[in-house]
Amino acid sequence: MSGMAGAGAEAEAEAEVKLLGFWSSPFVHRVIWALKLKGISYEYIEVERYNKSDLLLRSNPVYKKVPVLIHQGNPISESLIILQYIDETWPHNPLLPPDNHHRALARFWIHFGENSIACITDLFLRPCKEEQERASAKKKAEESIRVMEEQCLGDKKFFGGNNITMVDIVYGCLSHWLEGLEEIVGMKLIEPNKFPRLHMWIQNFKQVPVIKENLPDYGKLLLHLQSRTQEYVT
Amino acid sequence: MVEEAKVVLLGSGFSMFGMRAKIALAEKGIKYEYMEEDLANKSPLLQEMNPIHKKIPVLIHHGRPICESLIIVEYIDMVWPNNSPLLPSDPYHKAQARFWADFVDLKVYHASRRVWISKGDEQEVAKKDFLESLKQLEEFLGDKPYFGGDTFGFVDVALIPFYCWFYSYETFGNFKVEAECPKLISWAKRCMQRESVSETLADEKEVYEGILDYKDKFMLN
């Protein structure tokens, strides 16, 4: 084992960590960003959305979804759980605050973000049929965004402060992906004059090198999101 | 005025989420002050401590609030790590515990609510979903005495409060959990032998009466 060539050791390290993903998934990208921020080598395995591989079905029999992280043969599912696993297994460049209170607070905002993101996504991908219901859903989404802007982000550059943390990673799909949906559906949710701080956060987030270098191609994403918006209608 | 070092728990009635926090505190032997909230008339303290959701449970420690039941249980486990650890120490088993605790919230809770709220076909679907989710948990439990293995752990805390609601689901839905998930009922009875659980869980008949009152009040009958 000792004296192993650098390339061999790196290949072995990479084989130890596998990520099952789908190229357009924002949840998969959360995991990619965390792995990259920590400098962890991994093997990426693309899974087909409508033809799920045996490996995926074996690794995540409960939900049958990506992302799944496989580390030393052990599968971990659900992006938020994977993020915490990565942070605990590779503690350098921590993604959560060290003290218990702020960690609990970060978890609260992650949980809040996850629920809000689901509502926001539904607004675009599963719109209500009735005009009144749609208006009510939009209002609810805007209220969540207001809370994000005022209570979570406040005057900070990132949700984590001066640098991105797990909270920013979780909210990451409000950039790029939400922007894509807004363009396709023709409905702007995070308007710069309504939510200036969150709008700024989106610009800053996309400029972080690890994020900038690890986003799906925007044009390709638009086409994919276009077909997603039509799925529900048919 | 809440003293700095004091531990305060805001809870309400038969909430299984509030029970999770109580069980965790009891397992750790932590003294705390419990304050019962009237959710129809929320206290200024609750509104101050959980301004976003105004929901219970809220744990107040060093004057600062922690919200969301599973976040509270993890917080309790981290702050008082020496007594009765609830989460495993290795990251993989910790991840598994978090996964199944989340599963209880995502699948068991929502299906169970539909069982007592809905009727007819909708209720039949809810029953099927509820029992399916319990069967998946039973499969994960396997032959272990607890979800935590040999010791009572995070997933046990997450799920056991639902046990005092089973009678209500069974009565409204006309089924028996034990017929479909006998191992789960054995697990629940084992948990009930722990003082932290037996002292915390509400009386199942009182829960049922409480739901009947709620349904009357909101004309869900």
Side-chain angles (χ1 to χ4, degrees), chain B residues 82-199:
Chain B
N82 298 323
N83 311 343
S84 302
L86 296 171
L87 273 167
S89 50
D90 74 290
Y92 175 63
H93 289 105
K94 203 184 272 200
Q96 276 204 309
R98 287 182 179 134
F99 176 90
W100 287 104
D102 276 358
F103 179 89
V104 174
D105 279 357
L106 273 167
K107 299 285 178 187
V108 177
Y109 173 67
H110 290 289
S112 69
R113 203 178 143 76
R114 283 185 285 129
V115 168
W116 66 261
I117 261 188
S118 64
K119 294 193 187 83
D121 286 343
E122 221 188 297
Q123 193 185 47
E124 288 305 307
V125 172
K127 272 162 62 177
K128 185 172 164 282
D129 290 345
F130 174 66
L131 287 167
E132 179 58 41
S133 68
L134 290 186
K135 281 188 186 136
Q136 285 177 290
L137 277 159
E138 208 183 40
E139 204 184 308
F140 172 61
L141 178 67
D143 292 320
K144 305 195 293 288
Y146 299 107
F147 285 97
D150 288 328
T151 52
F152 186 76
F154 192 66
V155 182
D156 302 279
V157 174
L159 183 61
I160 194 59
F162 285 78
Y163 183 55
C164 62
W165 284 67
F166 279 8
Y167 174 77
S168 300
Y169 307 144
E170 288 169 336
T171 309
F172 282 112
N174 191 26
F175 66 99
K176 278 270 180 227
V177 175
E178 191 155 20
E180 306 280 339
C181 306
K183 268 190 182 167
L184 204 67
I185 297 298
S186 303
W187 160 82
K189 288 178 177 165
R190 190 175 302 122
C191 290
M192 285 296 282
Q193 286 167 12
R194 301 180 78 80
E195 210 177 297
S196 64
V197 176
S198 58
E199 299 273 295

Side-chain angles (χ1 to χ4, degrees), chain A residues 62-63 74-78 81 84-85 88-89 100-104 107-109 111-112 147 151, chain B residues 52-53 64-68 71 74-75 78-79 91-92 94-95 98-100 102-103 106-107 136:
Chain A
V62 177
Y63 297 118
N74 292 323
I76 301 110
S77 318
E78 296 295 288
I81 293 176
Q84 290 181 89
Y85 175 84
E88 285 158 9
T89 304
N100 293 321
H101 172 75
H102 286 104
R103 192 177 278 251
R107 287 203 171 109
F108 173 84
W109 286 116
H111 192 253
F112 178 84
V147 170
Q151 315 270 6
Chain B
I52 312 284
H53 300 304
R64 296 182 298 191
I66 299 101
C67 308
E68 302 293 327
I71 296 175
E74 249 197 82
Y75 176 85
M78 286 193 299
V79 172
Y92 175 63
K94 203 184 272 200
R98 287 182 179 134
F99 176 90
W100 287 104
D102 276 358
F103 179 89
L106 273 167
K107 299 285 178 187
Q136 285 177 290

Side-chain angles (χ1 to χ4, degrees), chain A residues 124-189:
Chain A
F124 293 88
L125 294 182
R126 271 184 256 228
C128 302
K129 293 189 168 57
E130 302 297 317
E131 177 63 49
Q132 213 177 354
E133 277 180 343
R134 273 207 307 272
S136 169
K138 189 177 180 208
K139 189 161 173 277
K140 191 170 169 221
E142 282 175 340
E143 277 161 15
S144 306
I145 295 169
R146 174 77 48 210
V147 170
M148 282 179 205
E149 163 129 339
E150 290 174 8
Q151 315 270 6
C152 188
L153 186 59
D155 293 324
K156 305 194 294 288
K157 183 180 181 189
F158 295 113
F159 290 104
N162 290 325
N163 297 305
I164 63 168
T165 61
M166 204 182 282
V167 183
D168 298 272
I169 289 174
V170 171
Y171 283 68
C173 52
L174 295 180
S175 76
H176 210 66
W177 287 266
L178 181 60
E179 289 173 304
L181 285 171
E182 284 173 333
E183 201 178 307
I184 290 162
V185 173
M187 172 171 66
K188 191 87 180 145
L189 208 56

